[in-house]
């Protein structure tokens, strides 16, 4: 079901008017909505964001610090043009590879992107695994929570299951050309603490790329195998750290999080996995977002009627009746 947002970001007209009395317009000011799709690496955040944007008019703001940089599409596992299915994406492949794109930079860029998306009457969906960037946007910008109502969809997968999937994904990335992609930008004196070279998959390849032309075939295979295993281990460690961060954010800031358990999806294959994804992830997530948008009018109506009743010493029922 597609939900039109044509009225979602408009101000509701007052139900009642008291001459010389309270201006109800302020009571009906509606906070714009922003949806966040969070979760550990490999859980399907980008896919869910795109699925939602094909149900509800929306655009996606990338919140993965490494995917913001230009290049290394395989290493950073960026969504392809085909996978985007026509959904506009912001802050992906836009930052120079050698720049230091900080959380402060993200907060500034993401805020502008959100305003732009809302200006087109669409829902901003912020999706990615850099939880420190999301925390900077939501909690370190005092205006953000005042201006926007935030809804967090947390895609969660059991770590043992996720680790197995991550391992398989790295193998697919290697087959897709990960080694050649890293080789093209390899520099013996590179700083792996800056820019896109921080990406998991780049520093792990250093020893192999330094020695691949000076060792025999057996040694090359051994070095490459060790590099791939390091990529897998570091990706699994990242997933664990991201999960810990999500729990800390929830406990510290009491964000309104909706946990979507996708574990069963990752235990299936083929058509069964597709059906499970739709049933267990897409449908409940879509219902949450639609409820976020649909319930707004009634909440604001009740709040305004109650406020007028208190200000004018008029029974709530009388104010409601006058609005009909």
């Amino acid at each position: 079901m597609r939900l039109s947002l044509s009225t979602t970001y408009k101000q509701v007209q007052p139900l009642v008017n008291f001459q010389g009395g309270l201006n109800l317009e302020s009571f009906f000011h509606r906070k714009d909505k922003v949806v966040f799709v969070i979760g550990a690496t490999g859980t399907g955040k980008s896919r869910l964001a795109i699925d939602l944007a094909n149900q509800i008019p929306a655009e996606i703001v990338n919140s993965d610090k490494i995917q913001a940089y230009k290049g290394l599409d395989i290493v950073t596992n960026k969504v392809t043009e085909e996978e985007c299915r026509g959904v506009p994406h912001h802050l992906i492949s836009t930052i120079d590879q050698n720049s230091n794109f900080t959380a402060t930079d993200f907060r500034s860029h993401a805020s502008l992107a959100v305003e732009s998306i809302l200006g087109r009457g669409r829902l901003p969906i912020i999706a990615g695994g850099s939880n420190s960037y999301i925390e900077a946007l939501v909690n370190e910008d005092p205006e953000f929570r005042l201006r926007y109502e935030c809804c967090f969809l947390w895609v969660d997968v059991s770590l043992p299951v996720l680790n197995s999937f991550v391992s398989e994904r790295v193998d697919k990335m290697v087959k897709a050309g990960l080694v050649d992609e890293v080789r093209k930008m390899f520099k013996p004196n590179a700083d792996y603490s800056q820019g896109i070279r921080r990406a998991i998959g780049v520093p792990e390849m250093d020893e192999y790329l330094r020695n691949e032309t000076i060792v025999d075939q057996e040694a090359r295979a051994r070095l490459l195998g060790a590099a791939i295993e390091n990529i897998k281990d570091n990706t699994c460690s990242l997933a664990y750290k991201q999960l810990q961060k999500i729990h800390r954010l929830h406990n510290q800031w009491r964000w309104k999080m909706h946990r979507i358990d996708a574990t069963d999806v990752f235990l299936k294959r083929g058509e069964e996995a597709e059906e499970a994804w739709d049933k267990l992830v897409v449908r409940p997530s879509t219902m949450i977002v639609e409820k976020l948008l649909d319930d707004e009018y009634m909440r604001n109506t009740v709040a305004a009627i109650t406020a007028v009743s208190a200000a004018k010493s008029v029974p709530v029922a009388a104010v409601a009746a006058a609005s009909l």
Side-chain angles (χ1 to χ4, degrees), residues 24-291:
L24 291 187
E25 187 174 358
S26 61
F27 289 105
F28 288 92
H29 178 70
R30 306 166 75 175
K31 276 188 176 183
D32 290 318
K33 305 296 188 288
V34 179
V35 171
F36 291 80
V37 181
I38 63 176
T41 184
T43 53
K45 300 179 296 297
S46 296
R47 180 182 178 184
L48 175 58
I50 292 169
D51 285 338
L52 287 172
N54 275 276
Q55 299 291 326
I56 298 166
E59 296 182 22
I60 296 169
V61 180
N62 166 56
S63 60
D64 184 300
K65 67 178 69 174
I66 299 299
Q67 289 187 355
Y69 292 103
K70 299 174 182 177
L72 291 184
D73 293 355
I74 298 172
V75 172
T76 59
N77 199 42
K78 293 174 185 172
V79 289
T80 64
E81 183 176 350
E82 181 180 0
E83 289 169 337
C84 286
R85 285 180 277 160
V87 176
H89 281 63
H90 304 260
L91 279 184
I92 190 165
S93 295
T94 58
I95 308 300
D96 181 81
Q97 291 185 351
N98 299 311
S99 298
N100 186 23
F101 189 61
T102 67
T104 301
D105 295 328
F106 170 78
R107 187 174 66 198
S108 175
H109 284 74
S111 294
L112 292 174
V114 167
E115 291 180 15
S116 175
I117 294 167
L118 290 169
R120 289 186 287 278
R122 296 183 176 184
L123 176 69
I125 300 177
I126 300 178
S130 298
N131 297 306
S132 59
Y133 279 23
I134 296 174
E135 182 179 22
L137 177 64
V138 176
N139 290 328
E140 296 175 18
D141 184 348
E143 292 187 7
F144 196 86
R145 291 298 285 268
L146 292 175
R147 296 180 61 183
Y148 307 119
E149 181 178 348
C150 301
C151 173
F152 296 86
L153 301 175
W154 166 21
V155 188
D156 194 22
V157 177
S158 169
L159 275 177
V161 175
L162 182 61
N163 288 343
S164 177
F165 171 80
V166 164
S167 178
E168 292 178 7
R169 189 177 73 171
V170 171
D171 288 334
K172 291 178 180 178
M173 291 163 66
V174 171
K175 290 181 180 179
L178 179 148
V179 177
D180 287 338
E181 192 175 65
V182 177
R183 183 185 288 114
K184 289 177 182 178
M185 67 173 298
F186 174 70
K187 292 182 179 180
N189 59 346
D191 182 356
Y192 293 117
S193 67
Q194 296 291 322
I196 199 171
R197 286 184 172 84
R198 293 178 294 168
I200 294 176
V202 179
E204 292 85 354
M205 294 297 302
D206 181 89
E207 185 176 1
Y208 170 75
L209 293 174
R210 286 177 185 273
N211 295 283
E212 64 173 336
T213 61
I214 59 176
V215 298
D216 59 30
Q217 184 175 355
E218 182 179 347
R220 281 200 304 273
R222 185 172 62 252
L223 288 171
L224 180 58
I228 293 171
E229 286 304 310
N230 285 337
I231 293 173
K232 293 178 179 179
D233 290 344
N234 290 338
T235 305
C236 291
S237 295
L238 173 64
Y240 177 70
K241 292 176 181 177
Q242 289 172 325
L243 187 58
Q244 284 186 312
K245 178 72 171 180
I246 291 171
H247 282 290
R248 285 200 299 271
L249 291 175
H250 175 63
N251 294 332
Q252 180 178 357
W253 300 110
R254 297 296 175 185
W255 286 355
K256 184 180 179 182
M257 287 190 187
H258 302 273
R259 178 177 175 270
I260 309 295
D261 190 349
T263 301
D264 285 349
V265 178
F266 285 70
L267 293 173
K268 300 179 184 301
R269 292 290 184 270
E271 187 174 335
E272 287 188 353
E274 295 297 320
E275 292 175 353
W277 174 263
D278 183 62
K279 177 182 178 181
L280 301 177
V281 180
V282 178
R283 292 183 195 175
S285 298
T286 303
M287 290 176 63
I288 290 167
V289 175
E290 289 180 344
K291 188 174 189 301

